[in-house]
């Protein structure tokens, strides 16, 4: 296959630093006439202390990070342009970064900033991959079985009861990965009426990920079945559909919409049939329909996918054309 052609100059003319920063939800504050600073969003950044090392000039369309960790990771380079930034964020080559930006422009996935509109935005960051995994998880715990999961399903997702130390002790833990398949958090489900029902690490941004998205991408199916929760995902998977991901709530965030639009051609919304789920379905439909095909599964009022048996799930999804594998995703 011939290499895809990319016009660096034209992409660079159309994509500003401000556009890519807002695309990655990087929030900075103004420290000078044309200088914005904040916490470094790059995955290469490993220094926890530097809150102010990342700096951007919108006039020059350039950025830099003064932290030793980033400089070392980039073989001594301190900053760069939009392509360097995207390449570092996506861990890809400069050429691939330019291609991705070009595609995002074509597919209208980038919100182009209005010239002269240089408002600083409050700071947020991406979820960093965890440096540990929990051990001795009981996949056969009675709570897991009581929710209708087979041991095989629990093992596949790494779900089970955790009896170790820390804030997840005595809960059923659910590993959460980003779209690249990197483990970014564990959620802990109470096994009784204890509040909160779910525990997540402080600072974890669930609006930046979709649960199980990496496996749905790997399924190479062009359609994503979108549900609300972890247990909905497990049951849909157990019914034979690997192309399923969860919002971890009923509201689709902008970042989640982007993730879906980047990896899929169609979405089947299968949220809970309660007030929150219906509102979430309407909002998600509005956000997603400009970027991909959207279909909606009508569940009986008051029901949710995790309560359904495999046969019922397959009956509901039977009418949708969604298991077609695509050649080159
Ligand atoms: Zn940095």
């Amino acid at each position: 296959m011939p290499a895809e052609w990319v016009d660096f100059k034209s992409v660079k003319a159309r994509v500003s630093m401000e556009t890519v920063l807002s695309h990655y939800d990087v929030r900075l504050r103004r420290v000078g006439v044309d200088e914005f600073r904040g916490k470094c969003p790059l995955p290469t950044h490993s220094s926890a202390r530097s809150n102010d090392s990342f700096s951007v000039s919108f006039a020059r369309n350039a950025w830099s990070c003064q932290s030793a960790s980033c400089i070392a990771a980039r073989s001594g380079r301190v900053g760069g342009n939009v392509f360097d930034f995207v390449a570092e964020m996506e861990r890809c080559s400069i050429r691939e970064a330019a291609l991705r930006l070009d595609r995002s422009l074509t597919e209208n996935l980038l919100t182009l900033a209005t010239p002269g509109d240089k408002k600083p935005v409050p700071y947020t960051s991406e979820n960093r991959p965890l440096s540990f995994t929990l051990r001795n998880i009981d996949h056969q715990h009675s709570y897991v079985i009581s929710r209708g999961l087979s041991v095989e399903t629990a093992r596949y997702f790494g779900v089970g009861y955790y009896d170790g130390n820390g804030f997840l002790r005595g809960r059923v833990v659910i590993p959460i990965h980003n779209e690249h398949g990197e483990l970014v958090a564990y959620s802990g489900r109470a096994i009784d009426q204890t509040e909160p029902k779910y525990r997540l690490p402080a600072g974890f941004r669930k609006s930046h990920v979709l649960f199980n998205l990496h496996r749905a991408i790997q399924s190479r199916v062009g359609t994503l079945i979108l549900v609300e929760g972890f247990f909905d995902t497990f049951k849909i998977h157990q019914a034979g559909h690997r192309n399923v991901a969860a919002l971890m709530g009923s509201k689709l965030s902008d970042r989640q919409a982007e993730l879906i639009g980047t990896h899929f051609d169609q979405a089947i919304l299968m949220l809970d049939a309660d007030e929150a789920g219906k509102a979430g379905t309407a909002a998600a439909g509005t956000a997603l329909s400009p970027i991909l095909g959207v279909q909606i599964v009508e569940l009986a009022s008051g029901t949710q996918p995790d309560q359904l048996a495999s046969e019922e799930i397959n009956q509901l999804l039977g009418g949708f054309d969604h298991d077609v594998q695509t050649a080159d995703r």
Side-chain angles (χ1 to χ4, degrees):
M1 215 179 83
E4 211 173 328
W5 186 77
V6 59
D7 183 347
F8 283 88
K9 210 175 154 187
S10 132
V11 176
K12 202 173 173 181
R14 287 178 296 156
V15 184
S16 65
M17 262 322 281
E18 196 179 7
T19 300
V20 295
L21 290 177
S22 99
H23 178 72
Y24 291 105
D25 205 8
V26 178
R27 315 286 173 106
L28 305 171
R29 58 173 213 290
R30 185 194 286 274
V31 294
V33 178
D34 179 42
E35 191 186 3
F36 294 79
R37 275 189 178 274
K39 211 169 187 170
C40 176
L42 300 179
T44 46
H45 196 98
S46 58
S47 160
R49 280 174 301 125
S50 51
N51 281 323
D52 228 21
S53 63
F54 187 75
S55 146
V56 171
S57 154
F58 290 117
R60 290 187 297 115
N61 238 0
W63 62 275
S64 67
C65 176
Q66 301 295 337
S67 159
S69 59
C70 275
I71 295 172
R74 305 185 63 239
S75 317
R77 280 174 302 139
V78 183
N81 60 20
V82 283
F83 299 129
D84 299 299
F85 182 77
V86 172
E88 293 297 335
M89 289 299 282
E90 306 276 335
R91 299 175 188 181
C92 66
S93 67
I94 299 289
R95 194 187 128 72
E96 179 61 26
L99 276 170
R100 288 185 196 191
L101 284 172
D102 197 20
R103 277 185 224 128
S104 304
L105 283 168
T106 314
E107 291 160 24
N108 282 324
L109 294 174
L110 289 175
T111 317
L112 296 175
T114 345
D117 179 21
K118 305 284 192 242
K119 284 192 293 286
V121 272
Y123 164 77
T124 60
S125 81
E126 288 285 325
N127 298 308
R128 297 226 177 116
L130 297 184
S131 54
F132 63 91
T133 51
L134 297 179
R135 299 195 181 273
N136 300 323
I137 290 165
D138 179 7
H139 304 301
Q140 306 185 44
H141 189 268
S142 54
Y143 178 83
V144 176
I145 307 300
S146 76
R147 294 294 301 264
L149 267 62
S150 69
V151 176
E152 200 184 3
T153 301
R155 256 201 207 108
Y156 179 85
F157 285 98
V159 174
Y161 184 76
Y162 178 66
D163 200 19
N165 296 315
F167 81 108
L168 295 168
R169 181 189 171 82
R171 287 178 172 250
V172 163
V173 291
I174 301 155
I176 302 171
H177 302 80
N178 62 20
E179 73 270 28
H180 309 296
E182 295 165 320
L183 178 68
V184 289
Y186 283 93
S187 177
R189 173 68 165 88
I191 58 165
D192 49 28
Q193 301 310 310
T194 311
E195 290 292 334
K197 203 153 55 158
Y198 285 97
R199 265 198 183 141
L200 279 163
F204 176 68
R205 303 192 156 268
K206 65 178 183 178
S207 64
H208 285 203
V209 287
L210 285 152
F211 176 66
N212 203 46
L213 183 69
H214 66 299
R215 297 192 191 95
I217 293 169
Q218 284 162 13
S219 77
R220 297 170 71 86
V221 175
T223 300
L224 179 72
I225 303 166
L226 187 64
V227 296
E228 285 191 25
F230 302 117
F231 285 86
D232 303 319
T233 307
F234 303 150
K235 295 296 286 287
I236 304 265
H237 170 91
Q238 200 164 272
H241 312 274
R242 294 191 301 145
N243 51 325
V244 54
L247 295 171
M248 299 183 281
S250 54
K251 283 187 189 137
L252 175 82
S253 71
D254 292 348
R255 176 88 178 111
Q256 288 172 328
E258 277 173 18
L259 285 168
I260 297 170
T262 305
H263 296 285
F264 297 90
D265 307 319
Q266 281 198 79
I268 296 176
L269 308 183
M270 200 172 177
L271 308 193
D272 298 355
D274 56 14
E275 283 310 310
K278 284 173 195 165
T281 300
T286 306
L288 291 174
S289 47
I291 50 176
L292 74 172
V294 177
Q295 295 173 292
I296 294 166
V297 176
E298 302 280 352
L299 296 182
S301 185
T303 59
Q304 47 193 66
D306 71 319
Q307 301 163 336
L308 304 176
S310 292
E311 300 74 50
E312 295 172 287
I313 289 168
N314 287 330
Q315 207 162 11
L316 284 162
L317 288 170
F320 295 94
D321 169 31
H322 68 280
D323 282 336
V324 184
Q325 300 221 337
T326 55
D328 58 348
R329 289 210 149 252

